[in-house]
Amino acid sequence: MAETIVYLAAPLFLFLFLAHQFYRTKRSQSRNLPPSPPRLPFLGHVHLLKPPMHRVFHNLAQKYGPIFYLQFGSRRVVVVSSTSTIEECFNKNDVILANRPKLLVTKHVGYNNTAMDVSQYGEYWRNLRRIATVELLSNHRLSQTVNIRNDELKRLITKLSSESLQGFAKVELQSAFQDLSFNIVMRLITGKRYFGDDVTDVKEANEFKQLLFELPHFFDPIHLGDYFPLWNWFNFGRYESKLMDVTKRIDTFMQNILDECRSNLHRDNMKTLAHSLLFMQKSEPEFLTDEKIKANLLGLLFAGSDVTSVALEWAMACILKYPNVLRKARHEIDSIIGQTSLLDESDVPKLRYLENVISETHRLYPAEPVIDPHVASDDCIVGGYVIPRGAVVLANAWTVHRDPKIWDDPDTFRPERFDGELDVRSSLIPFGMGRRSCPGRQLASRILGLTLGTLIQCFDWKNISDDEDIDMTARIGITTPKIIPLEAMCRPRPVLHNNYTYFYK
């Protein structure tokens, strides 16, 4: 009986869905929507879903302009690809475009969209943003936690130097940067480190590393089930069931962390974000449930570690690919800091060329080529066109960062471009724009500047092979690390010997 009802209901549901799509298509044609490529009946522009999406969007922008409209099944999507349209979106229309889309992955991994990065705009989000800023990401709080960043960097330098005591030695940097950034953020959030030496629970650490490997596979920028409700029927829920399985294991892991933090809540040296949230939970149990705390710890953990490690890998790849850039950055560090003392985090703002190298890396190789999606809570006007209520708005940073109207010779890695009189840094959007921009920008910048500067100061670097260039192909996904993990040859410089007791005491 139940199967009969399903068989009868499915065609009716399909008819109603197609009728609704036809109505919406006819209605859209009467509005001043942005230009749009030819679409398929009912399916819209699904035939354009060919990764990497930032290159697809870039090619469409060359033909249809800096703002264009796409229809993916039941979802309307507007892509903006110029500095002016992005500023109009996230300055003039910032409040209207402050929401996030509700997706299957954010429903499950984001604990029903309660994590700060994926929650809807409003009082709840503002409270979360304030807590994260005050307790973790403010300049004052970051200054208080500099010892954590110094300790993790010291461990990395010690590991690299021990592998290259006899001269140049090959080192693999992608996993090293992942361990560094993850441990820094994990210690800030929970007080524990999970990768490398001195891990208290190796089994737990390995389990979590496996989960970190599995989870990004679900962050497809355009998952068909989010845009075509019928897709989940035809897919028999396989995607969602696998996602729920991974999420369940992550939840168990996060709950164990939370319980451990709760057990040592009153220790004097415990001043992590998790402990702060648990203290607040006592006075606001309805606002800060365990689920909401886990959602936000997990969101900050992934957002704070993945983007930073990807940016570090690309920056090192660039200075290895362009030896003149490495020589110039090292000369600046040796001239200002010297070779008797180690670079300190407070020294980084003095290193203008190093800052230029990082900015140029963000420009050519943004960790997130397409900025996290926004949703219009009402109709608004951008570039003279209507962005309809409910539309997903995507900002293509990859196109903006290669716009020849802004950047001279845009495909060339040239840090010197930031020394000009014209301040072009305002056109860099690696961390997004507006009120939903990445709150961890200052933390990421501190890790990037100190780590890259210290690696340049402490080691001689060269490519693995003099005959082969470095492959700069990116892996497809929400973030875009190198598809081939970065390897290099390194050798300690005299500054390491001058500070031997610091690393090996």
Side-chain angles (χ1 to χ4, degrees), residues 169-464:
K170 183 169 71 171
V171 292
E172 193 273 298
L173 293 173
Q174 185 178 87
S175 61
F177 291 152
Q178 289 171 347
D179 290 357
L180 171 78
S181 58
F182 183 85
N183 277 331
I184 288 174
V185 178
M186 195 67 172
R187 288 176 68 176
L188 290 172
I189 291 175
T190 69
K192 296 182 66 175
R193 64 190 316 272
Y194 276 84
F195 299 138
D197 301 326
D198 299 333
V199 176
T200 55
D201 191 332
V202 176
K203 180 180 179 181
E204 182 184 57
N206 289 335
E207 178 186 352
F208 196 52
K209 181 175 282 191
Q210 177 62 28
L211 290 172
L212 290 178
F213 174 78
E214 292 181 38
L215 192 58
H217 293 83
F218 294 96
F219 283 88
D220 190 335
I222 305 289
H223 171 61
L224 290 177
D226 291 315
Y227 295 81
F228 298 89
L230 286 176
W231 175 257
N232 290 318
W233 282 28
F234 295 118
N235 194 39
F236 301 105
R238 283 190 291 264
Y239 169 88
E240 188 168 12
S241 63
K242 292 179 181 178
L243 177 59
M244 291 173 65
D245 175 67
V246 172
T247 302
K248 183 178 180 180
R249 287 185 284 145
I250 289 177
D251 177 69
T252 300
F253 182 86
M254 294 303 297
Q255 187 63 52
N256 290 338
I257 289 179
L258 207 59
D259 292 341
E260 183 177 345
C261 290
R262 187 177 278 118
S263 67
N264 56 37
L265 191 58
H266 296 287
R267 291 185 185 176
D268 292 338
N269 62 335
M270 289 300 176
K271 297 180 180 179
T272 69
L273 179 62
H275 292 85
S276 297
L277 292 174
L278 286 171
F279 270 117
M280 294 178 190
Q281 186 187 56
K282 293 184 176 181
S283 58
E284 301 177 271
E286 293 183 0
F287 170 66
L288 282 175
T289 62
D290 273 13
E291 283 68 29
K292 290 178 180 178
I293 293 177
K294 288 184 289 186
N296 287 285
L297 295 181
L298 185 63
L300 288 167
L301 178 60
F302 279 106
S305 59
D306 191 34
V307 171
T308 304
S309 64
V310 170
L312 269 173
E313 184 182 22
W314 282 117
M316 279 299 297
C318 288
I319 66 172
L320 286 166
K321 185 177 178 67
Y322 303 101
N324 61 311
V325 173
L326 174 58
R327 286 192 293 269
K328 192 168 181 178
R330 176 177 294 138
H331 176 73
E332 178 185 60
I333 294 171
D334 288 348
S335 299
I336 296 176
I337 310 302
Q339 295 192 46
T340 57
S341 60
L342 292 169
L343 178 67
D344 187 76
E345 195 170 273
S346 61
D347 296 321
V348 174
K350 307 172 189 174
L351 305 173
R352 181 59 186 266
Y353 189 72
L354 179 67
E355 181 183 354
N356 292 349
V357 171
I358 294 172
S359 294
E360 184 70 341
T361 301
H362 284 321
R363 186 187 72 84
L364 265 184
Y365 303 99
E368 288 186 288
V370 179
I371 303 303
D372 289 342
H374 295 67
V375 170
S377 59
D378 203 349
D379 289 358
C380 61
I381 305 296
V382 174
Y385 297 104
V386 174
I387 294 183
R389 178 180 180 179
V392 176
V393 177
L394 300 174
N396 192 358
W398 195 87
T399 296
V400 174
H401 292 175
R402 294 170 183 260
D403 187 347
K405 297 177 183 178
I406 302 173
W407 315 97
D408 180 42
D409 195 11
D411 293 325
T412 300
F413 187 85
R414 186 161 55 84
E416 294 79 6
R417 72 175 72 248
F418 293 98
D419 284 331
E421 295 181 5
L422 181 64
D423 184 12
V424 289
R425 278 192 174 86
S426 60
S427 296
L428 283 176
I429 53 171
F431 299 99
M433 287 184 67
R435 65 194 62 212
R436 294 305 291 256
S437 62
C438 177
R441 179 173 188 162
Q442 290 300 321
L443 174 60
S445 297
R446 292 190 183 215
I447 297 173
L448 283 168
L450 180 62
T451 304
L452 187 62
T454 302
L455 291 175
I456 293 172
Q457 182 191 31
C458 292
F459 295 95
D460 291 317
W461 293 94
K462 66 179 183 179
N463 192 9
I464 293 291

Side-chain angles (χ1 to χ4, degrees), residues 34-82:
S36 180
R39 70 181 72 176
L40 298 173
F42 306 114
L43 296 178
H45 299 97
V46 66
H47 58 291
L48 299 177
L49 295 178
K50 301 173 184 178
M53 291 306 299
H54 62 273
R55 289 184 179 270
V56 171
F57 294 156
H58 175 78
N59 293 334
L60 290 172
Q62 307 312 302
K63 185 174 182 179
Y64 295 98
I67 176 171
F68 56 89
Y69 175 88
L70 301 173
Q71 185 84 38
F72 294 130
S74 61
R75 295 250 187 177
R76 295 169 289 184
V77 177
V78 174
V79 181
V80 289
S81 308
S82 70

Side-chain angles (χ1 to χ4, degrees), residues 22-37:
F22 178 77
Y23 167 76
R24 289 181 62 175
T25 300
K26 299 299 290 184
R27 183 171 180 267
S28 296
Q29 292 172 351
S30 64
R31 309 176 72 184
N32 186 31
L33 297 176
S36 180

